[in-house]
Amino acid sequence: MPLHIVRNDITKMKVDAIVNAANPSLLGGGGVDGAIHAAAGPKLLQECRTLGGCEIGDAKITGACRLPCKYVIHAVGPIWQGGHFHEKELLESCYRTSLELAKTQECESIAFPLISSGIYGYPKDQALKVAMDVIRDFLFVNEMQVYLVIFDKAAYQISEKIFAEIEEYIGDNYVDAHTDYRCESMRMQMSMPPLLRYDVCESKCLMPEEDLEHKLMHIDESFSEMLLRKIDEKGMTDAECYKKANIDRKLFSKIRSNPQYKPSKPTSIAFAIALELSLEETEDMLRKAGFALSNSNKFDIIIEYFINRGNYNIYEINEALFAFDQSLLGA
Ligand code: AR6
């Protein structure tokens, strides 16, 4: 998955480059800057002294000393002053410059903290949106594993309005797991591929042998076949589809070359989102991979919420899934 949102301490990330939220002196400070210098050891400061500082919105690169990565990219974010002093453009520039620097050093992976969202006071939901937008644009034309590292739950906020709306939607749609046995068993059957359903039916539902033989001769198209058909129907290229699905090229190639490939549920849904399928088509595609959407599951309800609103932005969906502690879409 090209963009991962993870909860971690950035100094522990085993990636090619980590990004530091620095200040123009590049001589260390508090927050993530302090943590990076403490973990890297005094040689990092020595190297930083040779750089001659850094403009706001810009970034400079050093080695990583004792850290488990190869490089530290020191980016200087803007101080939040109400949003009227080009803070957004400057923050965008931090991410863009850092990504370009990493690309120049042929980094295959990079981890960012939410720059400016701590001591510099940039509102966290807006800082997150800036990060996601710039990273998404970069990944449309470049291959890199990008991690957005969220230090702790409190440091992470999607827009309060969206959070409240999704919470309400979950409240309205969430059904208790203790449903009536018969209904549950019916629901389970409906969520299974048709050929498996008869296993759990009562004996009178069993198909005659010749019927089974006939069915086996006329198996439906597989997940992979449906995916490729839909890509063609939508007039997309393969790359447009897997990038929009936040899936990496290697996994897509596996699915493409194996008609019987069984993807995970988040991967299946990621493709449905990239293809902007309706809820019905999404269910159809999921069934082909052996899955279903159900109202007993927060993950499924959040997916349903976004599809029903015609919002197919996988990054926004992942922000919401992350906020509700659910698995993210993509590989
Ligand atoms: N790993 C990942 N994220 C972290 C970590 C960590 N170890 N520690 C903090 N964060 P901040 P800024 C998160 O304040 O707002 C320094 O003094 C934190 O929760 O580190 O850009 C510099 O020298 C927040 O979401 O950076 C500058 O003077 C995010 O990292 C000034 O602070 C950024 O918070 C820069 O302020």
Side-chain angles (χ1 to χ4, degrees):
M1 182 166 61
L3 173 60
H4 306 248
I5 310 175
V6 294
R7 197 168 291 141
N8 205 345
D9 173 348
I10 204 163
T11 63
K12 306 273 191 298
M13 296 291 296
K14 294 190 178 73
V15 284
D16 289 339
I18 65 168
V19 177
N20 181 16
N23 60 57
S25 76
L26 297 186
L27 299 180
V32 72
D33 197 4
I36 288 175
H37 276 276
K43 287 212 166 128
L44 184 63
L45 184 58
Q46 277 176 25
E47 197 177 341
C48 284
R49 282 190 205 286
T50 65
L51 298 175
C54 180
E55 298 282 320
I56 299 170
D58 204 357
K60 293 197 175 169
I61 192 162
T62 62
C65 306
R66 289 190 212 138
L67 290 163
C69 51
K70 293 187 202 152
Y71 304 102
V72 178
I73 296 173
H74 306 263
V76 182
I79 298 175
W80 179 256
Q81 298 176 77
H84 307 297
F85 295 86
H86 308 288
E87 292 95 321
K88 181 166 176 280
E89 290 76 10
L90 291 165
L91 189 55
E92 285 169 350
S93 166
C94 281
Y95 284 98
R96 225 177 283 120
T97 314
S98 302
L99 287 163
E100 289 302 334
L101 268 175
K103 189 175 154 185
T104 312
Q105 297 301 320
E106 298 181 350
C107 293
E108 290 179 0
S109 54
I110 183 169
F112 284 95
L114 262 191
I115 303 169
S116 283
S117 75
I119 294 165
Y120 279 180
Y122 207 108
K124 288 181 175 96
D125 56 338
Q126 293 181 47
L128 180 68
K129 185 159 171 24
V130 169
M132 301 281 265
D133 287 350
V134 177
I135 294 168
R136 184 197 51 213
D137 289 351
F138 178 83
L139 289 177
F140 266 115
V141 279
N142 295 281
E143 294 279 337
M144 206 181 282
Q145 293 280 337
V146 182
Y147 295 84
L148 201 49
V149 181
I150 308 297
F151 195 39
D152 55 59
K153 181 84 181 168
Y156 180 86
Q157 266 179 355
I158 51 171
S159 138
E160 274 177 32
K161 184 169 167 283
I162 296 180
F163 191 91
E165 270 178 31
I166 296 176
E167 213 165 32
E168 193 185 331
Y169 190 84
I170 292 174
D172 288 347
N173 291 278
Y174 198 64
V175 292
D176 212 283
H178 305 288
T179 37
D180 167 65
Y181 170 74
R182 283 184 74 83
C183 297
E184 183 62 12
S185 104
M186 274 308 289
R187 196 186 61 71
M188 270 176 57
Q189 284 180 40
M190 295 318 291
S191 69
M192 286 177 177
L195 278 169
L196 288 180
R197 275 187 213 156
Y198 89 103
D199 279 341
V200 290
C201 276
E202 289 168 24
S203 52
K204 65 180 179 214
C205 303
L206 283 174
M207 280 180 273
E209 257 177 48
E210 63 276 18
D211 196 9
L212 175 60
E213 210 170 297
H214 176 81
K215 291 245 172 199
L216 287 170
M217 304 270 292
H218 297 88
I219 275 183
D220 273 1
E221 69 177 345
S222 66
F223 174 86
S224 146
E225 288 162 345
M226 179 174 178
L227 172 65
L228 299 178
R229 173 171 64 81
K230 284 283 176 195
I231 291 176
D232 289 345
E233 280 174 16
K234 301 269 172 184
M236 290 173 103
T237 62
D238 288 355
E240 274 166 0
C241 180
Y242 68 70
K243 287 196 170 184
K244 211 169 153 206
N246 198 31
I247 300 280
D248 72 33
R249 188 170 37 84
K250 285 186 203 132
L251 176 62
F252 181 82
S253 306
K254 269 194 214 162
I255 299 176
R256 181 174 239 307
S257 59
N258 177 3
Q260 296 313 317
Y261 188 89
K262 287 272 174 262
S264 69
K265 187 168 175 182
T267 298
S268 315
I269 294 180
F271 280 117
I273 295 293
L275 291 162
E276 304 196 358
L277 301 185
S278 66
L279 202 52
E280 211 176 303
E281 291 172 311
T282 302
E283 297 257 20
D284 190 22
M285 190 167 213
L286 274 178
R287 265 196 298 275
K288 290 179 187 299
F291 304 111
L293 290 176
S294 109
N295 278 5
S296 308
N297 184 335
K298 275 191 192 174
F299 174 88
D300 293 0
I301 295 171
I302 293 170
I303 298 301
E304 219 180 275
Y305 169 91
F306 279 93
I307 294 179
N308 278 336
R309 275 158 185 71
N311 182 343
Y312 291 97
N313 183 332
I314 202 149
Y315 296 93
E316 282 180 26
I317 299 174
N318 274 345
E319 282 174 48
L321 288 168
F322 187 85
F324 285 91
D325 283 323
Q326 303 298 308
S327 319
L328 303 189
L329 298 184

